[in-house]
Amino acid sequence: MKKLAPIALTLTLILAILSANALPALAAPSDSDQSDQSAAPTETTPSSNPTTKTATKPSSRPLVADEKTVVAVRADSPITIDGRLDEPVWRTAPAATGFTQTNPDDGSPATEPTEVWVAYDDHALYVAAFCRDSEPAKIRKRLGRRDTQTDSDWFGVAVDPYFDRRSGYAFYVNPAGAITDTVLSNDINRDDSWDGVWETRAAVNGEGWAVELRIPFDQLRFTKKDEYVWGINFRRMIRRKNEESTFNWSPRDEAAFVSRFARLEGIGGIRPGRHIEFIPYAVSQAQLRPAEAGNPFETGRRALGNAGFDLKVGLKSNLTLDTTVNPDFGQVEVDPAVLNLSAYETYYQEKRPFFIEGASLFNNFGRGGVFLNANINWPMPRFFYSRRVGRAPQGYATEDGYVRMPDRTTILGAAKLTGQLAGGWNVGFLNAVTGRELASIDQEGARLTQEVEPLSYYGALRVQKDIDEGRRGFGLMATGVMRDLDGGGGGSVPNDALAAMLNRNAFTLAADGWAFLDKGKSWVVGGWVGGTRVEGGVDAIWRLQNSSTHYFQRPDATHVELDPAATSLSGWGARLNLAKQRGNVMVLFNAGALSPGFNPNDAGFQQGGSDVINLQFLPGYQWTKPGKVFLRALAAGGWFRNYDFGGNKNWDGGLAFFEGQLRNFWGVNAMVAYNPDTISKNLTRGGPLALIPSGWQIEGGVTTDSRKAVVFELFATNYRRPRDGNEWNGRFSARWKPGSNFSLSVGPTVGFETSEIQWVRRIADELMTETFGARYVFGRIDQKVLGSEVRLDWTFTPRLTLQAYVQPFLAVGHYDRFKELAAPKTYEYNVYGEGASGGGGGGGGAEASTIVYDPVSDRYTVDPDGAEGAAAPFSFSNPDFNYKSLRGTVVLRWEYRPGSLLYFVWTQNRADFANPGNLRLGRDLGDLFSAPGDNIFLLKVSYRF
């Protein structure tokens, strides 16, 4: 609930430093994203190709990028993609050999030789590889669903058709025929959501395994020329050794990937293909949920159907237009249950294909050039958050009666233009229109409708230009949201509350850029600056000023104030990053600011309030060469601090952390951090400043060797404020891989927290002059959270898979020792029912306060200065909770032809809220599993033309 921000740093900075070189590559996959499945591949006899008979001796010295060249030859006869390598072209094409390790022994020659050949014809690029192996019986051949990096051997080819040393595509295949593909950007970033249409086949023989790939030119973007020079690289993973090697070596201490590609020469006389895809779809859905007596909308059964299509057109060689009409944006996996007692919304990952494909250009805003990333108490504003489009309606019905609310907003149509313009400008332009949504209301048989979401437009424009092969760059981003709040066609009953809730228009405009400061690209400076403007009615902007993003109503704030007549709100934000990200010594300095009026949330997302100035400095040292204990390791530490624009220090502290991989391939990590006393502007949720007492945090984790049949992970963290409370969280996961195409993972979590200052509510009382005419009520919370995630992956073929996900979740909180803040900027509280009141003004303080609980109404009544005092009593509902949830989904996915899919999905949700404030595991689990469930059965079929 009040976690120390360095937790986020451990997940961002460490991974960025240790994995920067391996992010787009086939590094040893973590158990969190492995499917770890296999099936026996086709066994073949050794090929008759004479070049596969002779092993090329690896070079004893790794070469830099400019020293390696691959020559492609034109194929004069058809190439059959069968993994046999028996076509004539593979006998004449020059072989690329001499791979170099990046893991585990960075810079050493690969232990097993690999030979690669490249050819082409008028329509496609062909790549053949023979991965020799001295122990072919030990080749890992696990099967997995597309884009799942299974625990197996792999071979991959990555190309940079623009030869800008910043972007490209990567294609990977394993000996079982499982595939994954990705779009590369910003040198090391990857977007796995892209699914190209290409062909591959692998085969194992007595000397190793062979693979062939056919990549159509119409799947790639490049500028038409007579002769082409592309970037290219090859990667190989030998899983039993955890060995990863590349043709063109990129050292682990360099945050680089695409910029280290070799040259691909020899291609000529081709042209980019005209790519057109038309994918119609149909979906049927049955919803089964408990019937509600008297409610005509909840009869227990409901059937739905829908149809639409997606169209993808290559407008020019470098631009692609994606359009969709009446799209099906249903998710096949439910969002996880979370407990959120903060004032801010929860961020959920995007899972809808139209939005996740090509999203990297939008998501990489402000991150160009700077690969190191740490966010310690920084709100991390995103200018575009695609889940705003098609969200659940934000309004509500104001009429009495039974109500049926739409579960999402209908997307009438959407279009997205992506690619590269003349002059090297990368562009992304997304537009979507969502329909007006109506709630249906039944008043004893009379049917009414009321608008709960207006007709809306969402737009996002992103342009970016790389200069001097990515040594510098510049970009712009703009978003816009426009809502029709005039109520035309807005149902049979007007909804005046809607215009008071929603902003009419919202716009953002921002610029980002970066520049490397030295020839070796070790030091880099980058960042962004931008502004936001929100427009609406007086009531909507008043609500916005009072929201948790702004809290302009803070009574002791001298730099902000409420404007009751305002019809707009504007603000600015900026972030500066300076980093040394190559070599053993690493340095990261960040400075950021969000003005009090900054608000990107109509089209974007911000994980906290504005009115913040953030500073952090984090030096570190990484070991990339294997030692006696560790294969690689990182140690770092630093300092961080936050201010508001009034000069108040809102957060402060220091930390140190370590992460490493042992020689037995176990991973370990640890962190310690300390926060001194700070002043919070958010604890009272719009009230005066309050003191947050000092605290310290310690955490650690261990992960076992992911090559084994059973893999374990353990993580624990403890954050303690001696004057306030204690928080402990633990996570344990086990992944079992009993067969070649089956895996089961179980990941229980547990958390315990006590805190004296959990927010309850605000009570207006002009007698409480010490806290500016209001009582800010808190309670002591004793909170327990138990949960687990269970995942099953069963892969029958690379095109036919079954996945299941179940998440039981229990969160119980009990409140007592209710109290009120006694004075701003202090940790002084008046505890109700314990001694004399400290309330000022007319509060008196002579009589003891009283608090009484009424079990019938489930409410507390407080008299803050006793029966003889002048302050009026007030009451509030019992805030205890016992939230129990069971969410699950089963997905059968069949790609019956390339790009054409059939889904069968079963989703179930159960919830129970009985016995608030009291945890009894057996009883609560029984209540959960016996609670009525909502079941949704969905069948979807699409066909790609």
Side-chain angles (χ1 to χ4, degrees):
M1 178 177 62
K2 294 189 294 295
K3 293 183 179 178
L4 185 63
I7 292 176
L9 170 113
T10 305
L11 298 178
T12 55
L13 181 66
I14 289 178
L15 290 179
I17 295 176
L18 281 184
S19 302
N21 176 262
L23 271 174
L26 284 163
S30 65
D31 268 80
S32 61
D33 25 63
Q34 291 172 16
S35 127
D36 295 327
Q37 300 147 350
S38 70
T42 303
E43 294 290 340
T44 66
T45 59
S47 170
S48 59
N49 184 351
T51 57
T52 64
K53 301 282 188 181
T54 305
T56 303
K57 182 179 179 180
S59 170
S60 61
R61 181 181 65 88
L63 302 175
V64 297
D66 292 340
E67 291 183 292
K68 285 202 171 184
T69 299
V70 178
V71 178
V73 299
R74 178 176 281 275
D76 296 326
S77 58
I79 298 176
T80 302
I81 304 302
D82 55 11
R84 298 184 64 87
L85 311 188
D86 52 7
E87 286 78 13
V89 68
W90 304 136
R91 299 189 183 94
T92 59
T97 61
F99 281 50
T100 304
Q101 292 186 50
T102 56
N103 187 46
D105 192 1
D106 188 31
S108 296
T111 62
E112 305 284 354
T114 305
E115 298 148 274
V116 187
W117 304 267
V118 180
Y120 70 98
D121 58 21
D122 288 340
H123 306 289
L125 183 74
Y126 298 86
V127 178
F130 192 78
C131 302
R132 295 186 178 276
D133 200 306
S134 56
E135 299 179 276
K138 295 183 179 180
I139 293 173
R140 294 284 185 95
K141 306 179 288 287
R142 294 190 179 276
L143 192 61
R145 180 176 171 174
R146 181 171 187 162
D147 289 333
T148 302
Q149 204 172 104
T150 60
D151 181 23
S152 66
D153 287 28
W154 284 90
F155 173 80
V157 55
V159 294
D160 172 13
Y162 286 137
F163 202 44
D164 58 10
R165 300 199 178 278
R166 299 276 299 165
S167 62
Y169 307 83
F171 307 86
Y172 302 112
V173 62
N174 77 358
I179 65 171
T180 182
D181 46 19
T182 183
V183 173
L184 308 174
S185 62
N186 196 26
D187 199 356
I188 70 165
N189 294 335
R190 66 179 183 182
D191 179 4
D192 294 331
S193 63
W194 178 72
D195 285 336
V197 179
W198 50 287
E199 187 179 357
T200 185
R201 186 71 180 270
V204 176
N205 58 45
E207 298 181 22
W209 64 286
V211 59
E212 286 177 302
L213 300 88
R214 181 184 185 273
I215 304 168
F217 290 132
D218 63 17
Q219 297 297 299
L220 309 176
R221 289 175 178 160
F222 55 94
T223 305
K224 184 179 179 180
K225 299 179 181 178
D226 294 330
E227 301 289 337
Y228 296 89
V229 176
W230 291 359
I232 195 166
N233 209 354
F234 313 111
R235 282 190 178 262
R236 181 182 177 185
M237 163 63 75
I238 304 174
R239 193 67 178 107
R240 70 179 185 277
K241 301 180 180 182
N242 262 350
E243 179 182 310
E244 183 180 0
S245 59
T246 61
F247 171 67
N248 214 81
W249 179 57
S250 181
R252 291 198 63 88
D253 61 3
E254 293 188 9
F257 183 58
V258 181
S259 60
R260 300 286 300 204
F261 281 9
R263 294 168 61 92
L264 176 62
E265 299 178 351
I267 299 178
I270 66 167
R271 61 180 182 178
R274 180 68 180 269
H275 183 56
I276 300 177
E277 286 186 11
F278 177 65
I279 306 177
Y281 85 92
V283 61
S284 61
Q285 186 180 115
Q287 298 179 355
L288 307 178
R289 61 184 63 183
E292 181 180 342
N295 186 346
F297 300 124
E298 289 295 351
T299 61
R301 290 177 173 82
R302 189 182 183 195
L304 301 171
N306 203 2
F309 67 84
D310 296 335
L311 177 65
K312 184 189 294 283
V313 179
L315 300 181
K316 289 187 176 181
S317 60
N318 300 330
L319 290 175
T320 299
L321 175 66
D322 293 270
T323 62
T324 182
V325 175
N326 194 28
D328 172 53
F329 284 152
Q331 295 176 203
V332 297
E333 183 172 307
V334 295
D335 290 319
V338 295
L339 176 66
N340 185 355
L341 300 182
S342 74
Y344 304 101
E345 65 177 315
T346 300
Y347 179 86
Y348 291 106
Q349 293 290 334
E350 179 61 84
K351 300 177 182 179
R352 300 170 297 179
F354 178 84
F355 289 113
I356 61 177
E357 184 174 341
S360 59
L361 185 62
F362 297 98
N363 296 338
N364 289 337
F365 177 82
R367 297 175 56 190
V370 183
F371 310 132
L372 301 188
N373 187 27
N375 296 292
I376 308 176
N377 236 37
W378 171 247
M380 293 188 295
R382 296 170 179 257
F383 285 91
F384 183 62
Y385 177 44
S386 58
R387 288 192 63 151
R388 299 292 187 210
V389 185
R391 68 192 301 177
Q394 301 170 80
Y396 56 87
T398 60
E399 296 292 314
D400 294 332
Y402 291 107
V403 178
R404 181 166 69 195
M405 287 282 294
D407 61 355
R408 69 190 65 179
T409 303
T410 302
I411 301 177
L412 302 178
K416 180 174 58 179
L417 181 69
T418 57
Q420 192 175 88
L421 300 174
W425 285 93
N426 297 300
V427 61
F429 188 27
L430 185 146
N431 298 269
V433 176
T434 60
R436 195 182 310 275
E437 295 295 336
L438 305 178
S440 299
I441 306 167
D442 184 275
Q443 296 180 337
E444 298 182 350
R447 291 294 177 93
L448 310 173
T449 59
Q450 193 170 39
E451 184 178 345
V452 290
E453 182 74 22
L455 179 72
S456 302
Y457 164 80
Y458 295 83
L461 172 66
R462 172 73 164 129
V463 293
Q464 183 188 56
K465 180 177 176 59
D466 298 341
I467 304 170
D468 190 17
E469 295 186 343
R471 298 188 65 86
R472 299 182 303 280
F474 172 78
L476 294 171
M477 187 165 183
T479 67
V481 177
M482 291 177 282
R483 299 184 177 97
D484 178 11
L485 295 173
D486 295 329
S492 59
V493 179
N495 191 346
D496 297 330
L498 202 59
M501 293 176 55
L502 301 179
N503 306 317
R504 183 177 295 274
N505 300 315
F507 305 101
T508 69
L509 178 63
D512 67 334
W514 73 92
F516 287 96
L517 304 179
D518 61 317
K519 184 177 180 180
K521 300 175 72 172
S522 295
W523 286 90
V524 61
V525 61
W528 62 268
V529 61
T532 66
R533 179 175 176 83
V534 179
E535 302 170 348
V538 170
D539 291 338
I541 300 303
W542 176 264
R543 175 198 60 80
L544 189 64
Q545 294 177 82
N546 283 271
S547 70
S548 59
T549 303
H550 303 287
Y551 286 146
F552 279 10
Q553 70 271 35
R554 285 171 279 163
D556 54 352
T558 58
H559 60 291
V560 295
E561 61 180 357
L562 288 168
D563 182 355
T567 57
S568 66
L569 182 66
S570 300
W572 61 269
R575 181 96 162 150
L576 175 68
N577 310 303
L578 175 66
K580 181 183 181 296
Q581 52 193 19
R582 287 192 175 184
N584 297 107
V585 176
M586 318 294 288
V587 178
L588 177 64
F589 170 77
N590 304 105
L594 303 177
S595 77
F598 183 85
N599 191 320
N601 286 322
D602 282 85
F605 184 91
Q606 185 171 302
Q607 290 182 317
S610 296
D611 189 13
V612 59
I613 300 170
N614 173 263
L615 302 168
Q616 55 193 29
F617 176 67
L618 299 164
Y621 190 91
Q622 63 171 341
W623 293 265
T624 60
K625 303 293 184 181
K628 294 182 179 180
V629 179
F630 291 95
L631 291 172
R632 58 182 183 269
L634 167 70
W639 159 90
F640 48 88
R641 179 171 292 178
N642 275 20
Y643 294 92
D644 62 24
F645 277 64
N648 301 293
K649 186 171 64 176
N650 303 132
W651 199 247
D652 195 15
L655 61 88
F657 62 88
F658 174 84
E659 179 176 282
Q661 186 179 44
L662 299 168
R663 293 196 67 90
N664 64 355
F665 297 104
W666 284 38
V668 295
N669 65 81
M671 186 191 76
V672 293
Y674 174 75
N675 299 108
D677 289 353
T678 51
I679 300 297
S680 172
K681 61 183 176 65
N682 299 321
L683 182 66
T684 57
R685 303 196 180 188
L689 298 168
L691 186 141
I692 299 291
S694 61
W696 52 265
Q697 179 178 9
I698 183 170
E699 70 178 35
V702 60
T703 304
T704 64
D705 185 352
S706 60
R707 299 172 299 171
K708 305 299 183 181
V710 181
V711 183
F712 299 101
E713 181 180 0
L714 177 65
F715 175 83
T717 180
N718 178 243
Y719 183 39
R720 182 173 181 82
R721 291 191 180 108
R723 286 183 288 166
D724 171 45
N726 187 37
E727 180 180 358
W728 183 89
N729 291 281
R731 180 180 71 247
F732 173 78
S733 67
R735 188 176 190 86
W736 179 44
K737 301 169 285 187
S740 61
N741 63 338
F742 181 91
S743 70
L744 176 67
S745 64
V746 180
T749 60
V750 60
F752 302 97
E753 179 181 2
T754 59
S755 174
E756 290 285 344
I757 49 173
Q758 174 59 46
W759 170 259
V760 176
R761 65 169 303 173
R762 174 188 181 273
I763 302 293
D765 187 344
E766 62 184 11
L767 299 180
M768 194 63 183
T769 57
E770 285 91 343
T771 51
F772 305 94
R775 301 183 185 274
Y776 298 92
V777 182
F778 297 83
R780 178 175 64 185
I781 187 173
D782 181 4
Q783 176 181 300
K784 303 176 180 66
V785 177
L786 303 173
S788 183
E789 291 190 352
V790 181
R791 292 184 182 272
L792 179 148
D793 293 284
W794 195 350
T795 304
F796 307 103
T797 73
R799 298 183 183 274
L800 180 61
T801 61
L802 178 70
Q803 294 182 313
Y805 169 82
V806 179
Q807 185 205 27
F809 182 82
L810 284 75
V812 180
H814 172 66
Y815 290 74
D816 59 10
R817 279 182 55 83
F818 294 99
K819 56 183 74 70
E820 63 188 35
L821 181 67
K825 294 187 177 182
T826 70
Y827 192 68
E828 297 176 7
Y829 292 84
N830 303 320
V831 182
Y832 301 138
E834 296 185 10
S837 169
E847 299 293 332
S849 61
T850 62
I851 181 168
V852 177
Y853 173 65
D854 180 8
V856 177
S857 63
D858 197 26
R859 295 182 66 85
Y860 287 92
T861 300
V862 175
D863 191 337
D865 56 2
E868 303 300 323
F874 62 88
S875 66
F876 55 87
S877 298
N878 180 8
D880 287 358
F881 59 87
N882 188 330
Y883 171 60
K884 300 176 284 291
S885 167
L886 180 65
R887 300 184 178 191
T889 183
V890 178
V891 181
L892 180 67
R893 179 185 186 273
W894 179 29
E895 188 175 4
Y896 58 92
R897 67 186 304 272
S900 301
L901 298 171
L902 185 146
Y903 283 101
F904 177 75
V905 183
W906 171 38
T907 299
Q908 185 181 93
N909 292 309
R910 296 173 182 264
D912 184 81
F913 305 92
N915 305 297
N918 179 256
L919 173 65
R920 285 174 49 190
L921 187 59
R923 177 203 63 200
D924 290 341
L925 287 176
D927 291 344
L928 174 59
F929 286 104
S930 62
D934 296 345
N935 292 276
I936 299 175
F937 297 91
L938 180 146
L939 180 65
K940 177 183 176 181
V941 61
S942 65
Y943 190 90
R944 175 182 177 272
F945 292 92

